[in-house]
Amino acid sequence: MIFETIANTGHEEVVFCHNKDAGLKAIIAIHNTVLGPSLGGLRMWPYKSEQEAINDVLRLSRGMTYKNAVAGLNLGGGKAVIIGDPAKDKSEALFRAFGRFVNSLNGRYITAEDVGIDVNDMEWVFRETSFVTGVHQVHGGSGDPSPFTAFGTLQGLMASLNACFGNEDVGKYSYAVQGAGHVGMEFIKLLREHDAKVYVTDINKQLVQRAVDDYGCTAVGLDEIYDTDAEVYSPCALGGTITMETLGRLKCKVICGAANNQLASNEIGDEVSRRGLFYAPDYAVNAGGVMNISLEIDGYNRERAMRMMRTIYHNVSRIFEIAKRDGIPTYLAADRLAEERISTIGKLRLPHLSAVAPSFQGRRGN
Ligand code: NAD
């Protein structure tokens, strides 16, 4: 059954990691290493069943293959999950045991932070393996990726405006920003630097007040965000907010934001396209975070990071072009761009085995 699933999803390798003393139950899924070593975060979650954890890691690792490919990175897709409650089950032994499993893969999988994991947990992983990114800045890590993600989102936005309106004049349009968290607030700041009109909502009232006081945004209610007259809807909170119901209410022409998995389903993506809306696929727009940590592999450099974020403009433009060329919705065009790149570049090189920079391999957290 598991082999059938792996064959259907196209995974190369799935590793079940167990250490009784440390209480570790983890799964590492390597989806595709044609472009390079697989990179993707470690998630810790109290999954209700092992099957739920398997499904999640397979889905997420496949998603990383597409995200890394569209981002133009020389990296494949992988992901790891630890079955456990991040509020109760964390320990040095747990993360060091996990780090040993990562190390045993000799660079085929490089880990990072994801839901339930913070930079302190990564310190323990880093004791056991160099194949880790998102470590603290004192170890050459890249720190909070949110400002980079926001800047990358702005590049994706400009490409979307250009595809829709034929210009990329950010200040000329109005925006409905849903979520003023780490990325959302930085994005708002960038929009306001262009003097754009910004509507904002968040379940956290203090953040909304900050957006109003510091950046001159207009506050709207949680549900009202779908009814504004903004030309751009920018989901920067949770996923799944574009549904048949919200789509019926949105008056925007462009959808571009940092949230993951914005479309409630593929059918919604088809409907977005039928209605003539310009949807910038989430994983192409919000690649700033993974781009940023990927630079830790050869030695982090902020200038290189900013330069890399600008490529998001090109990636999103290319997706709109493919959608037009092939007459398909943009969410499918993004997948096609990823598949085309894996196929073309894959023919140039052999499947990846290990080789990351020797300096990266020699790193240790102690
Ligand atoms: P965050 O938790 O700092 O911010 C999310 C904000 O959304 C919070 O302020 C929260 O109160 C608000 N929120 C939650 N539900 C809401 C709702 N129903 N209506 C309005 N507001 C709501 O998270 P973040 O790091 O800013 O990430 C935002 C999104 O971007 C997430 O989907 C995340 O997966 C994605 N993303 C983030 C990064 C990054 O670099 N942080 C990178 C890629 C993708």
Side-chain angles (χ1 to χ4, degrees), residues 145-146 149 178-179 181-183 202-203 207 222 236-238 258-260 286:
S146 308
T149 304
Q178 183 175 41
H182 288 96
V183 181
D202 195 295
I203 46 176
L207 290 175
L222 284 176
C236 294
L238 303 178
N260 275 313
N286 69 20

Side-chain angles (χ1 to χ4, degrees), residues 108-155:
R108 276 175 51 73
Y109 169 67
I110 300 170
T111 196
E113 289 149 30
D114 193 62
V115 176
I117 299 293
D118 64 34
V119 75
N120 299 315
D121 307 326
M122 278 299 150
E123 296 263 319
W124 298 125
V125 179
F126 197 35
R127 288 273 171 108
E128 301 295 338
T129 183
S130 22
F131 301 114
V132 44
T133 55
V135 291
H136 196 277
Q137 275 145 316
V138 297
H139 298 300
S142 55
D144 179 11
S146 308
F148 296 93
T149 304
F151 185 71
T153 304
L154 185 76
Q155 310 310 306

